[in-house]
């Protein structure tokens, strides 16, 4: 139990003394940003003072920027520097990890498939095939749209030849897709709707573009559509950024009805949908039939983005975009202005890889392997963390987004504790516009951990969460 | 001679009739955007009317958007749609060319080395060496700064180990360098100084960022520094974008004194210098000792950008940036938000290529080959085009920027004529903020044409320019 208790001297102004005591705890890091303070009733009882003393003390803390109130929930510690410190610490630890400086860490931050599944030998053969076949041509600047052969393969393999190959724009990964689409269609102060929570890499791009970002809560079958309608009735919306399958971070998959309704709304209220298909390939439920918004889109409202890096070879840096006719030229121009063109050799190799059916086989293998890990993770969470976290079954993707049930542990505390025990998780605050909203959440990515590591990692998390309050 | 003459009827309002006649010529494309109209004296003489009639007619044309006046120079045809049409036509022809649909064209638009000089076999060996050595690691997400081995090689080979390797940020080509630097340091309405003329790929990025762009005339040893000082005295400047060696498009190389003075000014007036080292390697004058602004920079004022694509393998998409300490973190963040990281395999291969001395050898070969072409081009220009164009010896780089001396031929006319004769040049208007300023210029890139094609191409240009006026 934290040391909230102290005794008063005779001439103390009581509410001030309470505030001073709490401020000392905050400055000593005994209390951290986002942590809940005792309720007024509890604390007044503990100190033997009137409730008004605590009320006044909390108000003082609020005025001095040490606390904030959540309606109907209580008062929480606010310490912006501390929050920024955590963000920096997360990013530094993550950097160390990717540089291979933290070899004994259990890495729950993985967003891409594990290198053990990389089809290196096959891809090497394919690369050499390209070099022998195309020689110099493998290195020339490609058509700004991307290598024609690859666009043909994408159209055939992923779209049953229903697209025009000139509608497909090859990009250097999905992040670049988001970047150039933002440049092409979003202006300063434009309204952009995103899911709450959402992918920070996209939020950063919209923020940087100085767009006005509006979050809509995610439910178990997609965003609250009524909420979207309300917003549309009052505001001019430029676009809606969504990940309809295994949404990052929640893992939620949209229902068919919601997708249909959102497409209708896009037409009625004249906005565009940026569909980030970042991981639909990794699905553990055979009954789920994949149906992208783009494939349902009869009114040319969807800007589709596909990443190949996350599920294939992260280092390959290839993805593609299918924009609506209206924005086709503009998006292509911004692609040229951003990096001219995407690696030519890699495009040619990926083309052969897809055409030979190797891609399909690779995805099949991944699904088998990751299904095992997913099922193990769900089982272990239910064994170890039941009642300590809220678990949501995703039936796909490479991560779980969990809610910490205990009010006195937030994601910062969990992050710090895990790090001290050689485990790296992603704090939920990263996925919210206002990081306070994500204080009780954290993400467990299982793409880079085997079952043994999953078990060990969850044990560490359990150690913190099981401690008596 | 154009058909400027016509006769009047008795009841004509003379100045209106003149305007109607000229408008018809413009609409029939007999007169094109940027073309000079007859002087008032000439035209009044030709038609046998008072000078005031012509003055009134030209004013009417101006009011109706058919003409514009340049102080001290005369009145010119203005036809924005026509200008946009030409830009589109250029871009379409260029697209066709890169798609290989214009095989018989003589391509004077080349910005990168010719595929005949690509070290494909050597690079294939190097690629396989990487794959055998690094296996899966060749495909993992790299450290956001780039593959450490490559950064080490860059530091050793190009900077005598004088940099810190963590100061070097690998990017997906120089265009991406410009893009992320702009994102990181330039805000809406910031003042950015560029050379006049300058590289359109950079101008587009600054324009898109809604920066306030200020052009300063290029002289034979760099920009007019007095002009820069005047501007600095009155305005807060964020940065100056420059290509100090074989500037694109003029081919100008800065004098040591100008570079030194600009660095001093950067410190005095607190601005940053974006140094785009896009082609310094291709130099035909052994007496020129390469000295980048970055290497002269003692006050940490220079953001250095280097492209490997232009002189090596365009499809490889690798370059690097060395930012000042102040912007180091920010630029790195924008790199991550733009495309996360640059192709890992290619970075590893380039590393080996540099470390084995193959890069040095490659550049040596290129210089030998291109020196021959450069000298041939200069000789042929002097033979065929003397007095018809102004020629400027660059002693390096892969292009010449020429000024058309005849007033009745501008770059649009030349571009159209060349295209009809299977030759593609780059119109000078592309390199100016106000395209009217570049109407008399065009660029001849010789990277993708052999001496035979150079001769044939120049003959076509000569055919137009030699025609009697």
């Amino acid at each position: 139990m934290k040391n909230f208790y102290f005794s008063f001297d005779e001439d103390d102004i009581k509410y001030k003394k309470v505030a001073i005591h709490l401020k000392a705890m905050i400055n000593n890091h005994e209390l951290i940003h986002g942590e809940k303070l005792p309720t007024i009733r509890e604390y007044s009882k503990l100190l033997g003072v009137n409730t008004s003393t605590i009320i006044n003390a909390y108000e003082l803390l609020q005025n001095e920027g040490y606390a904030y109130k959540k309606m109907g929930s209580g008062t929480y510690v606010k310490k912006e520097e501390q929050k920024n410190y955590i963000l920096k610490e997360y990013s530094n630890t993550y950097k160390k990890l990717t540089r291979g400086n933290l070899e004994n860490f259990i890495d729950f931050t993985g967003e891409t498939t594990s290198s053990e599944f990389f089809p290196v030998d096959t891809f090497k053969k394919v690369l050499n095939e390209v070099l022998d076949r195309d020689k110099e041509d493998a290195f020339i600047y490609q058509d700004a749209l991307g290598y024609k052969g690859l666009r043909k393969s994408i159209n055939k393999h992923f779209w049953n030849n229903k697209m025009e190959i000139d509608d497909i724009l090859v990009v250097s990964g999905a992040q670049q897709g988001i970047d150039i689409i933002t440049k092409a269609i979003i202006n300063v102060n434009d309204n952009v709707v995103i899911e709450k929570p959402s992918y920070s890499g996209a939020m950063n791009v919209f923020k940087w573009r100085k767009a006005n970002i509006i979050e809509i809560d995610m439910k178990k079958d997609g965003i609250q559509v009524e909420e979207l309608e309300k917003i549309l009735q009052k505001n001019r919306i430029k676009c809606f950024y969504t990940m309809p399958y295994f949404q990052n971070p929640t893992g939620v998959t949209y229902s068919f009805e919601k997708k249909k309704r959102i497409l209708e709304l896009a037409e009625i209220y004249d906005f565009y949908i940026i569909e980030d298909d970042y991981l639909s390939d990794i699905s553990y439920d055979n009954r789920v039939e994949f149906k992208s918004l783009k494939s349902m889109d009869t009114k040319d409202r969807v800007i589709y983005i596909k990443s190949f890096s996350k599920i294939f070879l992260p280092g390959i840096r290839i993805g593609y975009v299918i924009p609506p006719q209206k924005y086709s030229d503009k998006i292509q121009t911004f692609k040229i202005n951003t990096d001219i063109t995407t690696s030519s050799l890699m495009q040619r190799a990926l083309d052969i890889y897809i055409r030979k059916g190797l891609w399909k086989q690779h995805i099949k293998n991944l699904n088998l392997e990751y299904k095992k890990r997913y099922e193990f993770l769900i089982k272990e969470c239910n064994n170890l963390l039941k009642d300590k976290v809220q678990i949501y079954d995703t039936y796909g993707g490479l991560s779980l987004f969990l809610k910490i049930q205990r009010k006195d542990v937030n994601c910062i505390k969990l992050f710090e504790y895990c790090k001290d025990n050689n485990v790296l998780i992603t704090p939920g605050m990263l996925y919210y516009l206002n990081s306070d909203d994500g204080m009780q959440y954290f993400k467990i990515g299982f793409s880079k951990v085997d079952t043994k590591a999953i078990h060990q990692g969850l044990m560490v998390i359990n150690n913190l969460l099981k401690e008596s309050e």
Side-chain angles (χ1 to χ4, degrees), chain A:
Chain A
M1 179 63 191
K2 294 216 156 132
N3 196 18
F4 283 108
Y5 180 77
F6 64 93
S7 56
F8 293 95
D9 290 331
E10 255 182 49
D11 46 358
D12 280 340
I13 300 170
K14 284 190 178 163
Y15 83 93
K16 280 200 179 165
K17 184 78 181 261
V18 175
I20 288 166
H21 181 77
L22 291 173
K23 275 195 273 183
M25 286 178 78
I26 293 169
N27 289 330
N28 298 334
H29 307 287
E30 285 172 70
L31 286 173
I32 59 176
H33 179 84
E35 198 162 345
K36 197 182 169 185
L37 293 173
T39 64
I40 289 160
R41 185 182 297 261
E42 271 170 15
Y43 205 14
S44 60
K45 218 167 142 187
L46 179 72
L47 296 180
V49 296
N50 291 334
T51 51
S52 64
T53 302
I54 306 300
I55 291 172
N56 289 336
Y58 284 5
E59 262 175 17
L60 187 62
L61 288 177
Q62 268 178 269
N63 292 338
E64 292 183 0
Y66 276 84
Y68 64 98
K69 223 173 180 163
K70 271 197 213 169
M71 290 301 282
S73 163
T75 304
Y76 292 78
V77 174
K78 177 173 170 182
K79 211 167 174 211
E80 291 300 327
E81 324 87 84
Q82 206 173 24
K83 200 171 75 185
N84 291 335
Y85 167 78
I86 289 295
L87 286 176
K88 197 145 194 154
E89 185 138 321
Y90 172 75
S91 132
N92 285 341
T93 314
Y94 185 75
K95 265 184 210 164
K96 276 186 204 154
L97 201 73
T98 52
R99 288 183 191 188
N101 295 341
L102 298 173
E103 291 205 344
N104 298 318
F105 262 63
I106 293 172
D107 178 11
F108 281 139
T109 65
E111 303 260 357
T112 59
T113 53
S114 168
S115 61
E116 67 196 281
F117 302 127
F118 291 175
V120 176
D121 291 334
T122 323
F123 200 70
K124 182 181 159 192
K125 275 188 205 127
V126 169
L127 274 176
N128 279 294
E129 200 177 323
V130 172
L131 289 166
D132 292 338
R133 184 193 66 187
D134 298 344
K135 300 196 173 60
E136 299 80 27
D137 287 351
F139 294 103
I140 53 170
Y141 271 144
Q142 224 46 66
D143 185 337
L145 285 175
Y147 175 55
K148 200 170 182 173
L150 176 61
R151 289 184 286 126
K152 271 189 193 162
S153 293
I154 289 170
N155 194 21
K156 186 175 169 197
H157 193 82
F158 302 108
W159 299 95
N160 282 318
N161 286 323
K162 279 180 191 152
M163 298 288 156
E164 298 291 326
I165 64 162
D166 283 355
D167 289 341
I168 297 168
L169 172 66
V170 178
V171 293
S172 313
Q175 184 67 35
Q176 188 184 64
I178 296 170
D179 182 59
I180 58 170
I181 289 166
T182 301
K183 285 176 175 172
I185 75 167
I186 300 176
N187 283 310
V188 176
N189 288 329
D190 275 355
N191 290 317
V192 174
V193 171
I194 63 171
E195 293 151 343
K196 181 182 184 180
S198 183
Y199 167 53
S200 57
M203 282 196 283
N204 288 339
V205 175
F206 301 146
K207 269 190 218 168
W208 171 74
R209 191 70 183 118
K210 297 194 182 353
N212 180 31
I213 305 173
I214 303 168
E215 291 171 306
I216 298 185
D217 274 329
M218 281 298 273
K219 300 289 154 187
K220 301 218 157 168
D221 58 349
I223 53 156
Q224 252 188 320
V225 175
E226 306 73 37
E227 183 67 22
L228 175 61
E229 284 206 56
K230 265 189 217 159
I231 290 166
L232 288 168
Q233 281 157 11
K234 286 187 197 156
N235 305 275
R236 178 95 183 81
I237 299 298
K238 194 55 156 295
C239 61
F240 168 47
Y241 171 74
T242 178
M243 293 161 277
Y245 282 86
F246 320 123
Q247 195 256 5
N248 187 3
T250 60
V252 162
T253 294
Y254 277 63
S255 66
F256 179 78
E257 289 68 32
K258 280 208 172 170
K259 283 189 281 193
K260 214 167 138 254
R261 183 64 187 144
I262 291 168
L263 282 166
E264 287 166 4
L265 290 173
E267 182 62 14
I268 297 170
Y269 291 100
D270 187 24
F271 65 89
Y272 286 84
I273 300 165
I274 303 175
E275 176 177 32
D276 186 353
D277 179 5
Y278 84 116
L279 212 55
S280 65
D281 318 69
I282 307 296
S283 172
Y284 313 128
D285 185 343
N286 295 330
R287 294 161 306 172
V288 176
E289 192 211 353
F290 175 64
K291 229 171 167 26
S292 65
L293 281 158
K294 187 77 192 172
S295 68
M296 299 166 61
D297 175 25
T298 55
K299 307 283 186 183
D300 217 17
R301 285 284 161 191
V302 177
I303 305 162
Y304 176 88
I305 311 174
K306 177 75 191 170
S307 160
F308 287 117
S309 310
K310 290 197 177 58
I311 34 177
F312 186 47
L313 301 166
I316 197 178
R317 308 304 310 133
I318 297 187
Y320 67 94
V321 167
I322 308 181
Q325 283 296 335
K326 183 178 171 182
Y327 286 117
S328 183
D329 273 358
K330 218 168 165 190
I331 288 174
Q332 198 187 330
T333 301
F334 279 106
K335 162 67 181 161
I336 298 173
N337 283 338
T338 301
D339 75 346
I340 300 179
T341 174
T342 296
S343 168
S344 172
L345 174 62
M346 290 300 185
Q347 291 190 56
R348 287 161 194 262
L350 183 58
D351 169 35
I352 293 187
Y353 196 81
I354 294 172
R355 275 199 283 116
K356 288 196 168 169
L358 298 165
W359 171 268
K360 216 169 173 174
Q361 191 53 49
H362 176 65
I363 296 297
K364 212 168 146 186
N365 293 343
L366 282 183
N367 274 305
L368 284 172
E369 290 299 327
Y370 279 120
K371 189 175 183 179
K372 287 182 211 157
R373 292 191 188 183
Y374 171 77
E375 286 171 351
F376 179 81
L377 174 61
I378 290 281
K379 202 184 74 193
E380 284 287 277
C381 278
N382 281 317
N383 281 343
L384 290 169
L385 302 178
K386 210 176 153 105
D387 302 328
K388 292 165 204 153
V389 298
Q390 226 175 60
I391 303 164
Y392 174 72
D393 286 353
T394 61
Y395 302 110
L398 296 170
S399 60
L400 291 182
F401 198 57
L402 305 169
K403 183 175 184 180
I404 305 164
Q405 300 290 38
R406 278 179 60 172
K407 292 275 180 267
D408 63 330
V409 175
N410 64 22
C411 66
I412 292 181
K413 195 160 176 176
L414 184 64
F415 169 78
E416 292 279 358
Y417 182 87
C418 284
K419 193 169 68 77
D420 292 344
N421 290 281
N422 285 12
V423 174
L424 193 61
I425 57 153
T426 309
M429 57 197 285
L430 288 176
Y431 301 94
Y432 292 81
L433 210 52
N434 176 357
S435 52
D436 291 333
D437 295 341
M439 293 310 285
Q440 293 309 114
Y441 294 89
F442 66 104
K443 192 165 101 168
I444 296 275
F446 55 93
S447 72
K448 294 191 171 163
V449 281
D450 58 18
T451 50
K452 196 178 146 212
I454 289 174
H455 175 76
Q456 286 176 343
L458 291 187
M459 287 294 283
V460 167
I461 294 169
N462 183 43
N463 279 339
L464 177 68
L465 296 185
K466 78 175 181 201
E467 277 177 13
S468 63
E469 295 202 19

